[in-house]
Amino acid sequence: MNITEKVSYIKGLAEGLKLEESTKEGKILLAILDVLNDMAYQIEDIDSDLNDIADVVGDLDEAVLDIEDEVYGDHDDDDCDCGCCDDEDLYEITCPKCDNSITVDFDVIAAGGILCPNCGEPLEFDLSGLEEDIDED
């Protein structure tokens, strides 16, 4: 039984008691029942609107996940249980133009550069000093 049905049931009980508006108690109880009835319908409307909003948010969430998969690839290293991703070193870089943080693997850095996925700024990586550091060790 939903709230509007419950209020209707209580109104039926009050009608069965034959409350009269001519008495003080009858006026108060009938006024309370009218307010309860209005509140029940407003709550029902709000509940319906909230369900509609939840559906839209769910659809938007799915669309965002689809876009993320399209832009960043259809895999998530955090959920990978294969063991192959544990050995891979990931590096976080920050775009100097938009301050967007990007996580990349060594292959991306070894390629020499990428475009920032946020603003399109070319990000270049210079590994020439890295080889000298390795030779000194």
Side-chain angles (χ1 to χ4, degrees), residues 7 10-38:
V7 171
I10 293 171
K11 282 180 87 170
L13 290 176
E15 288 173 6
L17 292 174
K18 297 185 181 181
L19 294 175
E20 295 181 21
E21 283 193 49
S22 60
T23 66
K24 294 177 188 178
E25 295 84 5
K27 283 182 182 180
I28 291 174
L29 288 174
L30 291 173
I32 290 172
L33 288 173
D34 284 340
V35 170
L36 279 175
N37 193 46
D38 291 344

Side-chain angles (χ1 to χ4, degrees), residues 32-51:
I32 290 172
L33 288 173
D34 284 340
V35 170
L36 279 175
N37 193 46
D38 291 344
M39 289 173 57
Y41 281 111
Q42 285 182 347
I43 289 171
E44 199 170 77
D45 289 344
I46 291 170
D47 193 41
S48 175
D49 291 345
L50 186 60
N51 286 335

Side-chain angles (χ1 to χ4, degrees), residues 4-120:
T4 52
E5 292 170 340
K6 290 177 181 179
V7 171
S8 294
Y9 175 73
I10 293 171
K11 282 180 87 170
L13 290 176
E15 288 173 6
L17 292 174
K18 297 185 181 181
L19 294 175
E20 295 181 21
E21 283 193 49
S22 60
T23 66
K24 294 177 188 178
E25 295 84 5
K27 283 182 182 180
I28 291 174
L29 288 174
L30 291 173
I32 290 172
L33 288 173
D34 284 340
V35 170
L36 279 175
N37 193 46
D38 291 344
M39 289 173 57
Y41 281 111
Q42 285 182 347
I43 289 171
E44 199 170 77
D45 289 344
I46 291 170
D47 193 41
S48 175
D49 291 345
L50 186 60
N51 286 335
D52 292 344
I53 291 170
D55 290 342
V56 170
V57 168
D59 293 343
L60 287 173
D61 186 44
E62 288 179 24
V64 168
L65 289 175
D66 291 343
I67 291 170
E68 285 178 348
D69 287 345
E70 190 69 31
V71 171
Y72 299 111
D74 192 19
H75 69 287
D76 187 3
D77 291 339
D78 295 337
D79 294 335
C80 181
D81 293 330
C82 68
C84 65
C85 300
D86 295 337
D87 296 333
E88 185 176 356
D89 289 328
L90 297 177
Y91 303 92
E92 185 173 305
I93 58 173
T94 302
C95 175
K97 183 175 181 181
C98 68
D99 289 329
N100 184 40
S101 293
I102 307 161
T103 303
V104 296
D105 62 10
F106 185 76
D107 293 337
V108 172
I109 294 174
I114 61 170
L115 295 178
C116 175
N118 190 44
C119 69

